[in-house]
């Protein structure tokens, strides 16, 4: 198994034209449809990074900033932000392109997915170390590392407070 990988080793782009069966009667795409594509992109990145089965453990708060309509091209880019021992923090960015205008794609939302590598028994298994290369990747890595460590502290405190 690879002991370390870069962010670009696993970066994944999923693009899809939005169809009528994904929308409400007014033509707005359901948030759940977009979330499903984001989850698929995050899982693909995680599998590329660790080359094993994975499950999604957490999705951070998602804010839909602009509406997505039937006929729009959705461009979903996912990349590794941080790797813990068995978990991976993945940044997913969704852009929307109106295929009938000359406007460049606009960012509709971003989100972080925590995905855990699992073995054949469904137990968490170690993942390769992440090597951030660019300044942006290095900064994001440090930010998400702090979020990861803070969450670990809270989870440990919660477990400690449970009756034995
Ligand atoms: C995710 C799961 C494998 C974790 O199992 P677990 O026995 O709690 O494992 P651990 O406590 O050893 O944690 C394993 C890793 O997951 C992380 N993790 C566990 N629960 C988490 C949560 N709620 N949020 C974020 N990270 C979490 C831990 O921090 C740890 O990371 P690290 O190894 O990088 O430090 C398990 O809870 C599970 O299978 N959940 C269901 C997942 C699912 O069905 N998703 C939807 C379909 S894909």
């Amino acid at each position: 198994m690879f002991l370390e990988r870069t962010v670009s080793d696993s970066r994944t782009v999923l693009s899809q034209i939005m169809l009528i069966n994904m929308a409400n009667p007014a033509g707005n795409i359901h948030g759940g449809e977009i979330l499903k594509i984001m989850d698929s992109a995050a899982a693909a990145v995680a599998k590329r990074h660790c080359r094993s089965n994975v499950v999604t453990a957490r999705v951070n708060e998602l804010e839909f900033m602009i509406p997505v309509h039937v006929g729009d091209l959705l461009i979903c880019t996912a990349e590794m932000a941080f790797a813990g021992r068995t978990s991976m923090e993945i940044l997913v960015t969704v852009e929307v392109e109106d295929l009938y205008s000359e406007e460049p794609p606009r960012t509709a939302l971003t989100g972080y997915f925590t995905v855990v590598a699992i073995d054949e028994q469904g137990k968490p298994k170690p993942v390769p170390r992440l090597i951030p290369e660019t300044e942006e990747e290095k900064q994001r890595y440090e930010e998400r590392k702090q979020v990861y460590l803070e969450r670990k502290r809270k989870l440990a405190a919660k477990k400690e407070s449970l009756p034995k």
Side-chain angles (χ1 to χ4, degrees):
M1 173 171 138
F2 281 73
L3 294 179
E4 53 187 43
R5 288 189 207 271
T6 64
V7 176
S8 55
D9 282 337
S10 59
R11 186 177 289 115
T12 299
V13 181
L14 296 184
S15 301
Q16 198 173 331
I17 291 178
M18 297 292 100
L19 302 175
I20 193 87
N21 63 349
M22 301 168 150
N24 67 16
N28 292 90
I29 302 301
H30 295 296
E33 297 284 352
I34 297 170
L35 185 56
K36 192 172 165 187
I37 298 168
M38 294 172 82
D39 194 38
S40 298
V45 166
K47 286 178 182 172
R48 276 179 158 172
H49 185 75
C50 69
R51 297 285 163 186
S52 74
N53 199 10
V54 299
V55 286
T56 305
R58 177 180 293 261
V59 182
N60 83 335
E61 198 174 89
L62 296 177
E63 188 186 348
F64 293 85
M65 295 179 287
I66 55 169
V68 184
H69 297 112
V70 172
D72 285 345
L73 179 67
L74 193 103
I75 306 156
C76 184
T77 305
E79 60 187 335
M80 289 286 297
F82 174 76
R85 198 182 78 82
T86 66
S87 67
M88 295 157 276
E89 295 282 310
I90 296 161
L91 170 64
V92 184
T93 304
V94 174
E95 292 173 295
V96 181
E97 184 174 337
D98 176 355
L99 295 173
Y100 297 100
S101 85
E102 300 291 343
E103 294 296 315
R106 293 194 299 154
T107 302
L109 72 154
T110 60
Y112 279 97
F113 287 62
T114 306
V115 180
V116 179
I118 52 167
D119 62 18
E120 289 75 14
Q121 282 74 46
K123 298 274 176 245
K125 60 179 274 195
V127 300
R129 211 157 62 87
L130 180 68
I131 309 295
E133 292 179 306
T134 67
E135 277 313 307
E136 195 182 348
E137 289 169 4
K138 286 177 188 168
Q139 193 184 334
R140 190 179 299 134
Y141 182 95
E142 287 306 320
E143 282 170 13
R144 296 316 295 182
K145 184 178 176 181
Q146 293 314 315
V147 172
Y148 163 84
L149 291 174
E150 180 60 22
R151 197 165 56 224
K152 297 278 286 183
R153 272 193 288 275
K154 282 187 183 156
L155 279 171
K158 199 170 158 188
K159 277 187 185 166
E160 195 65 25
S161 69
L162 290 173
K164 300 275 181 303

